[in-house]
């Protein structure tokens, strides 16, 4: 492949990225306390100070489904936050939020701790590509309530789930407040059209071919390209397996070992059923 063509396509790929891309968001938020703090303040409409940020935070579960948080942050009050991107292709099951919330709790109490009040407050925040509740609202707050009491009597267990509807601006194209501007910025690939100072500064650093940050993005783009090839191969293998083709034939057609085909099928049993 011509090197100039490859470099031009690399630059184009990087310039077209938005925060709705999981991998790009991870790089944008990595150790960037100011940016994470801005996102949380805008969504929650309250003042807070972020003191810890973890990207691609992995929660081990030996026997059951594991989880990797896009962003896991902690503020100076000990409140934990999980920020996730939910693309349309990922599905919109509301039980995903329940799972994220539950898995977060497994990390927040020491073994042997008997005081349940030490379990900290937590927020799970999804930025969704589609309006999964179809009420044309920019944000949805999910809270537990006691059904036998007044609706304002919440079951204050410290768990909060929030969905930010990134489809909102399709019907309301002109941002009128900070949340609208954030929704715009989450989907904007043009640095010059970004409203937020925090997002613009970081994005400029990563997307400008003359900056040091671009070299980091170049390394990422190469791994992203390889990841894309691998994802396409896995999709082909699963499609062939669903059509009841033998594992041996699948391996031969995709130039993959039988062991690797078996591993891919085993890791994707949910999508096969």
């Amino acid at each position: 492949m011509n090197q100039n063509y490859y470099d031009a396509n690399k630059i184009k790929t990087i310039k077209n990225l938005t925060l709705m891309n999981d991998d790009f968001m991870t790089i944008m938020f990595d150790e960037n306390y100011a940016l994470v703090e801005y996102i949380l303040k805008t969504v929650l409409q309250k003042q807070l100070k972020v003191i810890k940020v973890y990207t691609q935070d992995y929660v081990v579960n030996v026997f059951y489904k594991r989880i990797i948080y896009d962003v896991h942050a902690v503020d100076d009050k000990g409140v934990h936050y999980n920020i996730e991107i939910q693309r349309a292709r990922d599905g919109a099951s509301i039980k995903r939020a329940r799972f994220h919330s539950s898995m977060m709790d497994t990390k927040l109490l020491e073994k042997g701790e008997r005081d349940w009040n030490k379990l900290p407050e937590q927020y799970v925040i999804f930025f969704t590509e589609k309006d999964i509740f179809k009420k044309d609202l920019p944000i949805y707050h999910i809270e537990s309530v006691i059904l036998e009491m007044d609706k304002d009597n919440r079951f204050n267990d410290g768990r909060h789930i929030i969905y930010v509807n990134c489809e909102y601006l399709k019907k309301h194209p002109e941002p009128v407040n900070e949340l609208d501007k954030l929704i715009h910025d989450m989907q904007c690939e043009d640095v010059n059209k970004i409203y937020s100072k925090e997002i613009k500064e970081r994005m400029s650093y990563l997307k400008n071919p003359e900056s040091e940050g671009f070299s980091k993005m170049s390394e990422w783009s190469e791994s992203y390209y390889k990841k894309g090839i691998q994802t396409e191969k896995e999709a082909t293998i699963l499609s062939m397996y669903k059509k009841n083709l033998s594992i041996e034939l699948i391996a031969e057609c995709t130039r993959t070992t039988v062991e690797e085909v078996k591993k891919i099928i085993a890791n994707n049993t949910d999508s096969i059923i």
Side-chain angles (χ1 to χ4, degrees):
M1 180 184 290
N2 181 280
Q3 185 63 36
N4 291 333
Y5 174 83
Y6 176 76
D7 289 343
N9 274 272
K10 181 191 291 186
I11 293 172
K12 182 179 178 181
T13 296
I14 292 172
K15 287 198 173 217
N16 289 340
L17 290 169
T18 74
L19 280 168
M20 293 303 288
N21 177 289
D22 287 10
D23 296 312
F24 185 55
M25 188 189 78
T26 296
I27 297 172
M28 283 279 291
F29 283 19
D30 188 30
E31 296 185 357
N32 194 328
Y33 290 28
L35 177 53
V36 175
E37 194 170 288
Y38 159 73
I39 298 283
L40 293 174
K41 285 180 176 178
T42 304
V43 171
L44 301 176
Q45 294 293 295
K46 71 174 186 177
Q47 293 300 309
L48 57 90
K49 182 172 181 58
V50 170
I51 61 171
K52 294 179 183 177
V53 173
Y54 310 94
T55 54
Q56 295 299 300
D57 190 19
Y58 180 72
V59 180
V60 178
N61 192 326
V62 177
F63 298 106
Y64 300 103
K65 186 174 178 64
R66 67 182 184 179
I67 193 170
I68 302 176
Y69 295 123
D70 287 343
V71 178
H72 176 195
V74 186
D75 71 14
D76 59 351
K77 306 293 185 185
V79 180
H80 288 248
Y81 306 89
N82 170 213
I83 304 173
E84 295 288 324
I85 298 299
Q86 184 166 290
R87 302 295 298 271
R89 66 173 183 267
D90 296 330
S93 173
I94 56 178
K95 289 189 177 179
R96 180 184 173 192
R98 166 183 160 186
F99 185 71
H100 276 247
S101 176
S102 299
M103 289 297 287
M104 184 180 290
D105 277 344
T106 64
K107 295 181 63 177
L108 301 183
L109 272 188
E110 295 293 331
K111 184 176 181 180
E113 178 60 64
R114 295 177 178 273
D115 185 358
W116 295 104
N117 290 319
K118 290 185 178 180
L119 194 63
E121 191 172 9
Q122 53 136 296
Y123 288 82
V124 177
I125 302 168
F126 282 99
F127 284 86
T128 62
E129 196 170 48
K130 298 293 183 181
D131 183 0
I132 65 174
F133 297 108
K134 303 187 185 304
K135 295 298 181 182
D136 193 29
L137 296 174
I139 192 167
Y140 300 93
H141 295 83
I142 317 299
E143 298 285 344
S144 299
V145 299
I146 303 171
L147 296 179
E148 286 75 19
M149 299 173 67
D150 185 274
K151 65 179 181 180
D152 292 328
N153 280 283
R154 295 179 181 175
F155 183 63
N156 294 314
D157 59 353
R159 179 180 58 178
H160 313 277
I161 296 171
I162 297 173
Y163 289 87
V164 179
N165 170 26
C166 291
E167 194 175 28
Y168 179 73
L169 291 185
K170 285 188 176 181
K171 295 182 180 179
H172 313 272
E174 293 298 325
V176 297
N177 54 44
E178 286 303 309
L179 181 60
D180 287 356
K181 291 176 182 177
L182 173 58
I183 291 173
H184 167 274
D185 290 353
M186 291 293 294
Q187 303 169 93
C188 183
E189 60 191 41
D190 187 346
V191 173
N192 296 315
K193 294 181 180 179
I194 296 290
Y195 288 101
S196 160
K197 174 176 69 71
E198 290 83 358
I199 294 177
K200 179 176 284 190
E201 286 180 355
R202 180 65 170 171
M203 192 177 283
S204 296
Y205 173 71
L206 294 173
K207 287 193 174 188
N208 182 359
E210 305 301 321
S211 74
E212 293 181 9
F214 190 79
S215 62
K216 185 175 184 178
M217 288 304 302
S218 295
E219 294 174 7
W220 169 85
S221 68
E222 291 179 13
S223 64
Y224 186 69
Y225 174 73
K226 293 176 183 177
K227 180 181 176 182
I229 293 176
Q230 182 63 23
T231 299
E232 186 176 345
K233 177 185 277 191
E234 289 184 6
T236 300
I237 288 172
L238 295 174
S239 177
M240 295 175 75
Y241 184 71
K242 287 178 182 177
K243 293 176 181 177
N244 297 318
L245 298 178
S246 71
I247 289 177
E248 290 74 16
L249 179 59
I250 294 172
E252 182 181 346
C253 293
T254 58
R255 297 181 181 181
T256 311
T257 65
V258 170
E259 290 72 22
E260 184 63 20
V261 170
K262 289 179 178 179
K263 182 179 178 181
I264 289 170
I265 291 171
N267 289 339
N268 292 274
T269 52
D270 290 344
S271 63
I272 293 173
I273 296 173

